[in-house]
């Protein structure tokens, strides 16, 4: 696989660095893509392209509270791909394992125990839009919204954190 990528971005800080916004736009071109078929077999696709937008917002809200929010949009598609076995032209199909929309929000509260120690508690949510698992775009994994959390203790030379994932026990799929 051979790739080319073009990117432009901007970072903005306000409120004496307490608020940061980052934006990036990318165009990614891939050539001679290998598509796994299973059983150690592959098919070679021609070209694919992706247009991507990322937006991140991070801020300190005071009193030990920090928050992060991000959004990503991607438009990944095959530009030239004719299946060898069937002769079907898959140009225009979405690339597998590539959701169009992703988002997350995360908040952390830090409480100082003394001059050298602190306790943190975090909670956040993550959204992943539906996406296809195959090149033909016939198998779809549904969108999901999951919530995670964590609790930690920090000293100057070490820290310990316990993270809990998928607190609401939403059905997730791994491919």
């Amino acid at each position: 696989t051979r790739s080319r990528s073009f990117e432009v971005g901007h970072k903005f800080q306000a409120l004496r660095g307490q608020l940061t916004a980052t934006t990036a736009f990318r165009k990614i071109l891939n050539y001679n893509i290998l598509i796994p078929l299973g059983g150690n077999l592959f098919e070679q696709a021609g070209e694919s392209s992706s247009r991507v937008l990322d937006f991140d917002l991070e801020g300190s809200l005071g009193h030990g509270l920090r928050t992060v929010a991000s959004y990503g949009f991607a438009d990944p598609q095959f530009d030239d791909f004719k299946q060898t076995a069937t002769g079907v032209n898959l140009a225009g199909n979405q690339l597998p394992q590539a959701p169009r929309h992703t988002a997350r929000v995360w908040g952390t509260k830090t409480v100082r125990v003394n001059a050298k120690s602190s306790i943190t508690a975090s909670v956040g949510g993550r959204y992943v839009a539906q996406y296809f698992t195959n090149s033909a775009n016939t198998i779809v994994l549904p969108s999901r919204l999951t919530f995670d959390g964590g609790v930690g203790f920090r000293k100057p030379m070490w820290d310990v954190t316990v993270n809990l994932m998928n607190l609401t026990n939403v059905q997730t799929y791994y491919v």
Side-chain angles (χ1 to χ4, degrees):
T1 301
R2 187 172 52 97
S3 300
R4 292 183 69 187
S5 177
F6 308 92
E7 181 173 355
V8 61
H10 184 264
K11 185 173 185 177
F12 173 77
Q13 287 188 327
L15 304 173
R16 290 182 289 234
Q18 297 296 307
L19 179 67
T20 303
T22 308
T23 310
F25 300 95
R26 285 189 299 286
K27 172 85 174 184
I28 303 166
L29 306 169
N30 296 305
Y31 308 95
N32 300 321
I33 306 161
L34 286 178
I35 307 296
L37 299 175
N40 212 18
L41 297 173
F42 297 88
E43 183 166 36
Q44 188 169 359
E47 299 176 6
S48 73
S49 63
S50 299
R51 294 183 314 234
V52 181
L53 163 70
D54 290 320
F55 177 74
D56 298 309
L57 188 63
E58 183 175 349
S60 177
L61 304 175
H63 305 289
L65 187 60
R66 286 195 65 73
T67 188
V68 176
S70 62
Y71 169 76
F73 170 81
D75 183 23
Q77 66 179 12
F78 290 110
D79 297 327
D80 176 25
F81 179 21
K82 189 174 278 191
Q83 283 188 321
T84 307
T86 63
V88 174
N89 188 353
L90 299 179
N93 279 18
Q94 187 174 332
L95 294 177
Q97 318 300 339
R100 287 191 189 272
H101 304 279
T102 57
R104 109 186 141 108
V105 175
W106 191 260
T108 301
K109 172 72 174 172
T110 301
V111 177
R112 288 227 169 266
V113 175
N114 57 42
K116 295 186 177 184
S117 303
S118 61
I119 295 173
T120 60
S122 303
V123 67
R126 179 181 42 216
Y127 171 77
V128 177
Q130 72 176 20
Y131 59 91
F132 297 101
T133 62
N134 62 349
S135 301
N137 289 177
T138 57
I139 303 172
V140 179
L141 284 185
S143 62
R144 66 183 180 274
L145 176 62
T146 57
F147 294 96
D148 305 326
V151 177
F153 182 76
R154 179 172 291 204
K155 296 285 263 180
M157 298 297 286
W158 57 271
D159 64 72
V160 175
T161 303
V162 175
N163 292 311
L164 303 170
M165 298 178 68
N166 197 7
L167 294 173
T168 55
N169 199 25
V170 170
Q171 178 72 42
T172 56
Y173 303 89
Y174 299 96
V175 180

